[in-house]
């Protein structure tokens, strides 16, 4: 395992921690790996000398869970547990409203994507038509030269101008494509990261549930 893979996995397992604590832990292990590599270890050896990302996250969560248990044991129980059923009922009653809002947001995103793709196609079409027009004007200029040198030169200049506009439209289409590609890639990566974090949380929850069950059995 390389450092990039190790840090990505560790970040997923630490997704349940507060932002400051998560970043501090990631920075600590990143610097620890760098230090061991500076001492002569290879990247793989530095990673192998550490615990697995799952074990690191489990140990940290065990410590936090123990601190939480000690806090609530020492704290007098002056408040009853909040009931969840009013929130569930509210979510069911307001479901048509937030489903409609979700539908409108998705529809808005769809039209934005469609508009960007339309602009991309229009720019490509414009670039192609301008290239064709520049070629026609360029060829026509050679037929005009025998009768009028000035008109032939004017046609040559016009063909070059049309060619410049075609290149400009092509560049704009390229930048639009790059922007859409990067935006789509970032969106896919964020969704993938969210699913990885969710799987990591579920794995840790099952692990702690098993440990709790074993402690009860003991």
């Amino acid at each position: 395992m390389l450092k990039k893979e190790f840090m990505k996995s560790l970040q997923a397992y630490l997704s349940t921690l507060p932002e400051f604590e998560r970043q501090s832990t990631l920075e600590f292990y990143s610097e620890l790996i760098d230090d061991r590599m500076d001492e002569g270890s290879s990247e793989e050896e530095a990673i192998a000398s550490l615990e697995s990302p799952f074990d690191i996250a489990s140990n940290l969560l065990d410590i936090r869970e123990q601190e939480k248990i000690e806090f609530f044991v020492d704290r007098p129980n002056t408040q009853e547990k909040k009931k969840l059923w009013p929130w569930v009922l509210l979510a069911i009653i307001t479901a048509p409203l937030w489903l409609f809002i979700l539908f409108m947001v998705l529809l808005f995103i769809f039209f934005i994507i469609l508009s960007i793709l339309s602009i991309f196609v229009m720019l490509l079409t414009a670039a192609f038509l301008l290239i064709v027009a520049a070629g026609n004007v360029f060829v026509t200029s050679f037929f005009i030269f025998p009768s009028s040198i000035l008109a032939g030169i004017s046609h040559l200049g016009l063909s070059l101008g049309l060619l410049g506009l075609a290149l400009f439209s092509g560049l704009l289409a390229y930048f639009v494509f790059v922007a859409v590609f990067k935006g789509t890639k970032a969106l896919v990566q964020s969704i993938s990261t969210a699913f990885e974090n969710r799987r990591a949380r579920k794995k840790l929850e099952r692990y702690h549930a098993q440990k709790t069950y074993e402690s009860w059995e003991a």
Side-chain angles (χ1 to χ4, degrees):
M1 181 183 293
L2 299 179
K3 178 181 177 181
K4 182 178 180 180
E5 299 170 349
F6 178 88
M7 298 303 297
K8 183 178 180 181
S9 178
L10 181 59
Q11 183 177 11
Y13 284 120
L14 296 177
S15 59
T16 56
L17 294 179
E19 177 68 21
F20 174 77
E21 189 172 350
R22 181 170 67 252
Q23 291 300 326
S24 299
T25 304
L26 291 172
E27 290 175 3
F28 171 79
Y29 280 97
S30 178
E31 293 175 0
L32 183 60
I33 294 171
D34 292 337
D35 290 341
R36 295 192 178 182
M37 291 174 62
D38 291 339
E39 294 172 356
S41 300
S42 65
E43 188 172 355
E44 292 82 358
E45 292 172 344
I47 299 298
S49 64
L50 302 175
E51 293 180 297
S52 68
F54 178 79
D55 290 336
I56 294 172
S58 297
N59 292 334
L60 287 174
L61 292 176
D62 282 341
I63 295 173
R64 287 179 57 84
E65 192 67 25
Q66 185 61 36
E67 292 175 350
K68 188 185 300 184
I69 291 173
E70 292 174 357
F71 172 76
F72 282 106
V73 167
D74 296 335
R75 182 184 180 187
N77 187 14
T78 57
Q79 294 181 349
E80 296 182 355
K81 293 182 179 179
K82 295 181 179 179
K83 296 181 179 180
L84 295 178
W85 68 264
W87 297 104
V88 175
L89 182 62
L90 179 63
I92 295 174
I93 295 175
T94 59
L97 176 61
W98 55 260
L99 285 175
F100 173 75
I101 294 174
L102 178 62
F103 172 76
M104 294 302 296
V105 170
L106 293 176
L107 188 64
F108 177 72
I109 295 174
F110 171 76
F111 278 114
I112 289 178
I113 295 174
L114 186 63
S115 300
I116 294 174
L117 291 177
S118 299
I119 293 173
F120 174 72
V121 173
M122 288 172 58
L123 289 172
L124 280 182
T125 304
F128 174 77
L129 293 177
L130 286 169
I131 290 175
V132 173
N136 289 332
V137 174
F138 179 78
V139 173
T140 304
S141 65
F142 287 97
F143 293 98
I144 297 176
F145 262 116
S147 58
S148 175
I149 297 178
L150 182 61
I153 293 174
S154 298
H155 276 67
L156 282 176
L158 178 61
S159 66
L160 292 176
L162 292 172
L163 184 61
L165 288 175
L167 292 175
F168 180 72
S169 297
L171 286 175
L172 285 180
Y174 169 76
F175 288 126
V176 170
F177 173 79
V178 170
V180 172
F181 176 78
K182 289 184 177 180
T184 304
K185 183 179 179 181
L187 179 61
V188 171
Q189 287 179 343
S190 63
I191 294 175
S192 175
T193 301
F195 277 106
E196 289 179 0
N197 293 344
R198 186 174 184 274
R199 285 197 297 268
R201 286 196 298 269
K202 291 295 182 182
K203 186 176 180 180
L204 284 173
E205 288 173 1
R206 289 194 298 268
Y207 171 77
H208 284 286
Q210 180 65 28
K211 290 191 65 176
T212 303
Y213 175 77
E214 291 174 354
S215 64
W216 287 347
E217 288 293 318

